[in-house]
Amino acid sequence: MLISQFLLLGAILFCIGVYGVIARKNAVLVLMSIELILNSVNINLLAFALRNGSADGHTFALYIIAVAAAEVGVGLAMVLLIYRNRRSIGLDELSEMRG
Amino acid sequence: MIAVELLAAQNIGFAVISLLMIVAALRVVTTSNVVHAALWLVVVLSGAAAQYVLLAAEFVAVTQVLVYIGAVMVLFLFGTMLTRARIGTERDLNNSYRLLGIPVAGLLFAAMAIAIVSSFGDEELPSEPRLIGVPEISDQIFGPYLLPFWALSFVLLAAIIGAIVLARKD
């Protein structure tokens, strides 16, 4: 197996996730696209861990999974709060923070 | 001879799984049904777990299945359920400037692909890799990476308390 095939798969998933973050309006779908991005990073880390024969990449991948779980928890709580206040989770309607 | 057959099997497995992952990821960002997007995301995450097994990272693969497919997807489905009156196809999920996303993602991919191919063009992964077991990962976590582990514990605690405070009805 080539290392670049895993890196290219990670790059493709990353770009699909970036497209999702830009294109989606629904806040839950934006969070799902962020999950895609985090997973592509994990694939890269594990590919390099196998290449270098070190356990550092595994450790970082586990930490990323934990941070992603925390991020989804807080993110969905915020989405729930926004929905409760505004009856909508369209991100382009949240324009009050504009300076 | 066995090594060659194993390598071919690995490559075929990689090709099939990654095609499935790419199609499912495209469906996640294009489908017009939030629940379908969550279920396509399950396909992507399972494919990622399979790729981790191909990369000889069994423990991370199991953690991926437990945490992502077990817990995070339940959170997503609950979030969908609690913020949405009806479950089904919807038209209003995309931004008005979503076409901007295609050149951005394309340029980003082109830049990354050029960098990857020029740096690691045809470098093989080691055919007899040093396998990393759970004891070694735990030595890493509770050895040199102990401080980030503590920080991560506080992050998780703060996230749990913050989620409860935010979502509580008062």
Side-chain angles (χ1 to χ4, degrees), chain A residues 1 3-4 9 15 22-26 35 39 42 46 51 53-54 56 63 67-68 76 81 83-84, chain B residues 28-29 31 45 52 64 68 75 83-84 92-95 109 121 123 125 130 132 140 145 152 166-167:
Chain A
M1 289 187 290
I3 184 170
S4 55
L9 174 68
C15 294
I22 293 174
R24 290 300 208 177
K25 188 162 74 172
N26 187 303
E35 295 304 310
N39 264 284
N42 271 352
L46 291 173
R51 170 181 183 252
S54 87
D56 291 356
Y63 284 2
V67 169
L76 284 176
L81 199 65
Y83 178 75
R84 207 177 280 153
Chain B
V28 170
V29 295
T31 183
L45 299 174
Y52 300 164
Q64 166 100 353
Y68 265 112
L75 271 180
T83 56
R84 197 137 296 279
D92 205 23
L93 292 177
N94 286 329
N95 273 320
F109 176 69
E123 182 182 332
L125 282 169
R130 198 170 72 87
I132 290 152
Q140 290 279 325
Y145 294 109
L152 196 56
L166 282 178

Side-chain angles (χ1 to χ4, degrees), chain A residues 1-26 28-29 31-33 35-36 38-40 42-44 46-74 76-81 83-84 89 91-93, chain B residues 7 10-11 14 18 21-22 25-26 28-31 34 37-38 41 44-45 48 51-52 54-57 59-60 63-64 67-68 72 75-76 80 82-84 92-95 97-98 101-102 104-105 108-109 112-113 116 120-126 129-130 132 136-137 140-141 145 148-149 152 155-156 159 163 166-169:
Chain A
M1 289 187 290
L2 301 173
I3 184 170
S4 55
Q5 66 192 46
F6 288 99
L7 300 184
L8 283 175
L9 174 68
I12 291 171
L13 288 181
F14 186 90
C15 294
I16 293 173
V18 167
Y19 169 76
V21 170
I22 293 174
R24 290 300 208 177
K25 188 162 74 172
N26 187 303
V28 176
L29 289 170
L31 280 175
M32 286 184 197
S33 306
E35 295 304 310
L36 281 182
L38 290 170
N39 264 284
S40 73
N42 271 352
I43 291 176
N44 274 16
L46 291 173
F48 281 115
L50 186 66
R51 170 181 183 252
N52 298 334
S54 87
D56 291 356
H58 295 233
T59 314
F60 287 143
L62 289 172
Y63 284 2
I64 286 179
I65 290 176
V67 169
E71 172 245 327
V72 170
V74 175
L76 284 176
M78 286 169 60
V79 169
L80 203 60
L81 199 65
Y83 178 75
R84 207 177 280 153
I89 52 172
L91 289 178
D92 54 350
E93 293 165 30
Chain B
L7 203 59
Q10 280 176 338
N11 278 323
F14 172 84
S18 49
M21 283 173 77
I22 290 168
L26 284 173
V28 170
V29 295
T30 54
T31 183
V34 183
L41 190 61
V44 180
L45 299 174
Q51 301 284 13
Y52 300 164
L54 270 183
L55 287 166
F59 184 64
V60 183
T63 312
Q64 166 100 353
V67 176
Y68 265 112
V72 171
L75 271 180
F76 270 125
T80 310
L82 292 174
T83 56
R84 197 137 296 279
D92 205 23
L93 292 177
N94 286 329
N95 273 320
Y97 49 87
R98 76 192 160 90
I102 296 172
V104 170
L108 196 59
F109 176 69
M112 284 198 282
I116 289 168
F120 304 101
D122 44 4
E123 182 182 332
E124 290 274 343
L125 282 169
R130 198 170 72 87
I132 290 152
E136 204 167 335
I137 298 173
Q140 290 279 325
I141 290 177
Y145 294 109
F149 181 73
L152 196 56
V155 166
L156 276 174
L166 282 178
R168 192 182 48 163
K169 271 205 176 77

